[in-house]
Amino acid sequence: MDIPVSEALNIDATVAIKQLVDNVETVIRGKRKQIEMVVTCLLAGGHILMEDNPGTGKTVLARTLAQCISGEREGEHVVFKRIQFTPDLLPMDLIGSHIFDDANKEFIFKKGPLFCNVLLADEINRASPKVQSALLEAMAEQQITSGDTTLKLERMFFTIATQNPVEMEGTYPLPAAQLDRFYMKIYFGYVDEATELNIYREYLDIARNLIELTQVLSMKDILDLQAQAGAVFVHDEIVRAVSNIVRQTREHQDISLGASTRSGIAFLKCLRAYALVQGRTYVIEDDVKDIARAVLDHRLIYRNKDGKQKALESIINKEADRLAKLKLY
């Protein structure tokens, strides 16, 4: 089938994305798929949540990616901030607060760490629900409100949040409304035996790589790639597949809370960005299967453990089989 795209993929986009992923991979070994998912979320204009046990590299991945796009190049300054979420954290520690200016005899607003371009929200589920909700407005509307003051955040605001498994002591489950604002949730997992052995042998070099990482993309580059991702072609049958998957999650007997319309829009944005990360100007059938679970699983509430393991998978497989029979590409 001919792809109705007016221009071929910009070679600069292919090179830029590969350079970014390769740069991150000098520090994060054996996790290229997870790196690509994070970059996909960045180019889709969303936010990403990473969950796994401590020590698997979640925070290091976030720091590494931020370092690769933080800095000053061509006059575009990308600001990176990290917030360590703890039980005693207060909302004002994120958004800022009004302080009294002795010189001018008036209250002024001192901005908090949310006023940045790339935010690492580390161990987000160790903070109280009140603090978690303070982040919700920033992620959903790209603004913060303190008293009667409402301020817009930066034009590029990307949250990389990490969390420990909910069963771990001292954690608070994130509310469904906040989980719905994360375009993707990925599980980091342990590397294979050969990669882990390689990490042990080269951990000093890896640590040096992290320190010596330089910026490979500016804010202008990221915004340009986001615009290119938004122009990626999606066949109407793939749009229909997204709609079918979303609607079937609401009707499945093992799912008590299905996906929202917002999640369907996020799914399409991520499909476009994922195709660009893979070096294409169009979405293919396999892309749907590749990212569907990462986009939808955390938004659903299952009735039982068996449903969590099988319900979404069966829905995705059904649509994947339908698309395969159509032979779009």
Side-chain angles (χ1 to χ4, degrees):
M1 173 181 175
D2 293 331
I3 312 302
V5 180
S6 57
E7 296 179 6
L9 181 65
N10 186 338
I11 188 64
D12 291 341
T14 309
V15 171
I17 292 169
K18 185 178 184 304
Q19 186 180 11
L20 176 60
V21 174
D22 288 347
N23 221 38
V24 174
E25 210 171 19
T26 62
V27 176
I28 304 298
R29 305 291 176 85
K31 294 292 177 184
R32 192 173 184 90
K33 186 70 173 177
Q34 286 85 345
I35 296 169
E36 288 180 348
M37 289 292 193
V38 177
V39 174
T40 293
C41 229
L42 170 65
L43 300 188
H47 311 281
I48 192 164
L49 177 64
M50 297 188 289
E51 178 180 303
D52 219 314
N53 296 315
T56 52
K58 305 183 300 294
T59 302
V60 178
L61 170 56
R63 283 180 54 202
T64 304
L65 178 75
Q67 202 164 323
C68 290
I69 61 176
S70 299
E72 192 163 357
R73 212 178 81 181
E74 299 176 6
E76 294 284 353
H77 190 51
V78 178
V79 178
F80 167 63
K81 295 285 180 69
R82 173 181 174 177
I83 304 174
Q84 186 67 46
F85 281 67
T86 57
D88 61 346
L89 200 69
L90 298 173
M92 67 177 62
D93 295 326
L94 272 65
I95 64 177
S97 59
H98 286 87
I99 61 173
F100 189 72
D101 181 4
D102 279 330
N104 296 316
K105 304 300 181 185
E106 63 180 0
F107 282 95
I108 60 172
F109 184 75
K110 182 174 177 59
K111 294 180 178 180
L114 285 186
F115 290 86
C116 63
N117 302 112
V118 181
L119 173 71
L120 169 55
D122 209 4
E123 296 188 300
I124 187 174
N125 62 336
R126 289 205 182 278
S128 67
K130 183 183 289 188
V131 174
Q132 292 173 6
S133 65
L135 185 58
L136 181 60
E137 182 184 11
M139 292 172 58
E141 302 176 41
Q142 217 160 325
Q143 66 179 32
I144 66 96
T145 302
S146 176
D148 58 356
T149 302
T150 299
L151 296 172
K152 287 287 184 183
L153 297 178
E154 302 299 327
R155 57 177 174 161
M156 189 189 90
F157 179 65
F158 177 49
T159 301
I160 308 171
T162 71
Q163 72 170 13
N164 296 316
V166 173
E167 296 80 10
M168 194 167 285
E169 185 180 353
T171 61
Y172 299 85
L174 295 180
Q178 183 152 5
L179 284 172
D180 202 35
R181 262 62 180 198
F182 286 105
Y183 276 29
M184 284 186 178
K185 177 183 177 182
I186 61 174
Y187 296 89
F188 215 63
Y190 294 107
V191 294
D192 59 55
E193 183 180 357
T195 303
E196 189 164 10
L197 184 60
N198 182 261
I199 290 171
Y200 294 149
R201 287 170 174 159
E202 300 182 8
Y203 71 91
L204 290 177
D205 291 334
I206 292 171
R208 193 178 303 112
N209 288 342
L210 178 58
I211 294 170
E212 296 175 355
L213 277 176
T214 56
Q215 182 187 16
V216 295
L217 295 179
S218 68
M219 185 192 298
K220 182 177 180 299
D221 296 329
I222 296 295
L223 293 174
D224 181 57
L225 289 171
Q226 287 178 345
Q228 289 193 52
V232 167
F233 173 72
V234 185
H235 193 285
D236 190 62
E237 285 297 338
I238 292 178
V239 176
R240 186 180 299 277
V242 169
S243 177
N244 289 345
I245 291 171
V246 168
R247 294 185 68 82
Q248 286 171 40
T249 63
R250 302 171 194 161
E251 300 165 0
H252 199 285
Q253 61 181 6
D254 290 331
I255 301 175
S256 57
L257 177 66
S260 65
T261 304
R262 182 193 293 124
S263 66
I265 295 171
F267 196 172
L268 287 168
K269 288 182 178 179
C270 288
L271 281 171
R272 285 186 158 102
Y274 183 73
L276 191 66
V277 170
Q278 300 305 314
R280 283 182 271 104
T281 57
Y282 56 95
V283 176
I284 62 173
E285 302 94 315
D286 287 347
D287 294 341
V288 176
K289 197 168 183 178
D290 285 349
I291 71 167
R293 179 166 285 278
V295 175
L296 297 175
D297 188 48
H298 63 286
R299 306 169 191 269
L300 309 178
I301 297 178
Y302 299 93
R303 297 189 189 277
N304 49 56
K305 186 176 181 180
D306 189 57
K308 183 172 180 61
Q309 293 174 342
K310 298 178 180 177
L312 182 57
E313 203 66 37
S314 66
I315 293 170
I316 295 168
N317 288 337
K318 179 181 175 183
E319 275 307 303
D321 291 343
R322 186 186 74 83
L323 287 174
K325 291 173 184 175
L326 294 176
K327 296 184 170 128
L328 301 177
Y329 302 113

